[in-house]
Amino acid sequence: MARWGRLRPLGLGGSDTTPRPGAAVRAAVGRLRRGWLPVVEATLAATVAWVLATRLVGHPQPFFAPAAALIVLGQARGQRLRRAVEVVLGVAAGVLVADLVVQALGPHASWTVFTVILLTVALAVAVGASSVTVVQAAVSALYLVVVAPPTETLVPFRFVDALIGGGVAIVASLLIDARRPLAPLVAEFRHTFEELAGVLDEIATALDRTDAEAALAALERARHADAGVERLRGAVQAAGEALWLHVRRRQHLGRLRSVESSIRQIDYAVRNVRVLARAAVTLTRGPAPVPPELGAAVRTLAGAVRSAGDALAADLTGQDEIADRHAERADVAALEAVRAAGRLFTPGQTLPLAMIIGQVRATAIDLLRGVGADDDASVLTRVDTAVAGPPD
């Protein structure tokens, strides 16, 4: 079955609350608890780079070994394998240029600073480096000229240090996910779909109660969904990097490419839900009554979203039978949501109600395209049939 990418959880929340004593400390502790792995990763990688440069190369002050490791680890996961090489070579080249220029012109001279910056930036631009890498390379070279003591040998210790630090960082970032390279991506998929389903549940509750404030809270939460899609793209790239060195799991690369190609469909679903939430705000604030069946239809759609997320997560881990069962549940629930909403599409309904019905249909189409093997024409036919009346 052709399966798609998932929606990542939106790190959204409701309105800000009044700060309480100790809230900042608790928030800091919570962030540290969730982000302890990058702290350990950066500390160990920088330390190992220092030890290797000291013991293997014999450089007494290998500043650029841990510095390059930290620069590479500063790149987002999913970009490290591609951009880390660029960063390492850019920083290393800057260091090498600075070393050679210092040998020729001496340190702390204006012409030395001018020449080093000119050559380093020109070299980085010539090889197509990103703006971030250009700056990193230039700063590394400038540090060598202005701060670091000059060397009395032409041996490019600092160039080697930068390569060691960058190499250690790349290996460290890949080893973190070596045992379970797809686990972070699977968790991200589950979180994303659960978050989107949570938005739909909030909308359904607001419709049930004709609660405009609850609808506004759901809309605010939905507005953060785009950031979730971007996080999902990053998670897919990070999983691809992890699989690249995991020989026994490279068969999953095909599944990963399938997921990556479906992220656009997820983006559509996120936008549809946001429009649905906006229409719910208008409907709950207006004088027209909210049909009691509308909330149930939206809640059924939330169930379809959860099943779609479970299907994709199972598909990524090779659990095909489980994935098929979840996909079937998503299929049934999506069509039932369309059918229930379609029964409310009667002459004289308000524009916000019509918009909600339309977005339920559009979101269901996105789900069916993601978890089903049918082509677009078949999906549209099935959805239109569900809108028109009860199942055969």
Side-chain angles (χ1 to χ4, degrees):
M1 85 186 170
R3 229 144 279 136
W4 52 316
R6 56 61 171 325
L7 244 204
R8 128 107 259 195
L10 334 173
L12 334 135
S15 57
D16 293 337
T17 57
T18 303
R20 300 176 182 177
V25 175
R26 288 193 296 272
V29 172
R31 287 191 294 269
L32 186 59
R33 184 182 298 113
R34 293 188 299 270
W36 65 270
L37 187 58
V39 174
V40 174
E41 180 185 52
T43 302
L44 291 179
T47 303
V48 170
W50 173 277
V51 171
L52 291 178
T54 304
R55 303 287 176 81
L56 296 184
V57 182
H59 189 183
Q61 295 180 318
F63 168 83
F64 283 97
L70 294 175
I71 289 173
V72 172
L73 291 176
Q75 304 297 311
R77 285 190 180 276
Q79 301 176 5
R80 290 178 179 176
L81 194 58
R82 175 171 51 88
R83 293 190 59 191
V85 174
E86 176 186 333
V87 170
V88 170
L89 294 181
V91 173
V95 171
L96 179 59
V97 168
D99 250 333
L100 295 177
V101 172
V102 166
Q103 293 293 333
L105 302 180
H108 309 303
S110 299
W111 276 111
T112 303
V113 174
F114 173 83
T115 304
V116 165
I117 294 178
L118 175 63
L119 293 179
T120 303
V121 174
L123 178 61
V125 171
V127 299
S130 66
S131 58
V132 173
T133 302
V134 171
V135 172
Q136 290 170 338
V139 169
S140 299
L142 188 61
Y143 176 88
L144 178 60
V145 174
V146 176
V147 179
T151 59
E152 298 179 356
T153 175
L154 290 177
V155 177
F157 281 120
R158 296 180 176 92
F159 176 79
V160 176
D161 291 343
L163 290 178
I164 290 174
V168 169
I170 294 174
V171 172
S173 64
L174 292 175
L175 287 179
I176 291 296
D177 298 323
R179 295 186 59 186
R180 301 176 64 199
L182 290 177
L185 178 58
V186 171
E188 184 68 22
F189 267 110
R190 293 186 185 281
H191 188 187
T192 295
F193 278 100
E194 181 58 37
E195 182 67 20
L196 188 62
V199 173
L200 289 169
D201 281 336
E202 288 191 9
I203 295 172
T205 300
L207 293 172
D208 288 340
R209 302 174 180 174
T210 315
D211 188 339
E213 289 188 6
L216 280 169
L219 175 59
E220 181 63 25
R221 187 178 181 185
R223 282 172 174 164
H224 294 78
D226 289 339
V229 174
E230 291 305 314
R231 288 191 292 268
L232 177 58
R233 289 192 176 100
V236 171
Q237 292 177 344
E241 286 185 351
L243 289 173
W244 187 76
L245 288 183
H246 205 297
V247 177
R248 291 181 297 176
R249 301 207 180 194
R250 285 188 182 176
Q251 69 271 19
H252 291 298
L253 285 173
R255 298 178 187 270
L256 201 60
R257 281 190 289 268
S258 176
V259 167
E260 190 173 17
S261 65
S262 68
I263 291 181
R264 180 182 301 175
Q265 207 70 44
I266 300 172
D267 194 17
Y268 292 156
V270 168
R271 297 182 187 188
N272 290 332
V273 171
R274 187 165 59 243
V275 175
L276 194 160
R278 189 176 296 114
V281 171
T282 304
L283 182 61
T284 54
R285 296 179 66 182
V290 178
E293 302 86 357
L294 185 59
V298 174
R299 193 169 285 107
T300 301
L301 184 62
V305 169
R306 287 190 174 91
S307 294
D310 291 337
L312 184 55
D315 188 46
L316 274 172
T317 55
Q319 299 173 301
D320 293 338
E321 293 184 4
I322 296 176
D324 289 339
R325 288 199 295 271
H326 286 303
E328 184 176 355
R329 293 191 188 101
D331 188 290
V332 171
L335 290 177
E336 178 55 34
V338 170
R339 192 174 296 114
R343 287 195 288 265
L344 303 175
F345 192 76
T346 56
Q349 80 271 22
T350 62
L351 179 59
L353 176 59
M355 290 179 63
I356 292 175
I357 294 171
Q359 294 309 314
V360 169
R361 175 184 180 276
T363 305
I365 290 173
D366 291 328
L367 292 177
L368 293 174
R369 284 173 172 170
V371 301
D374 296 340
D375 56 27
D376 288 353
S378 177
V379 167
L380 292 175
T381 298
R382 295 173 64 211
V383 170
D384 288 341
T385 300
V387 171
D392 295 336

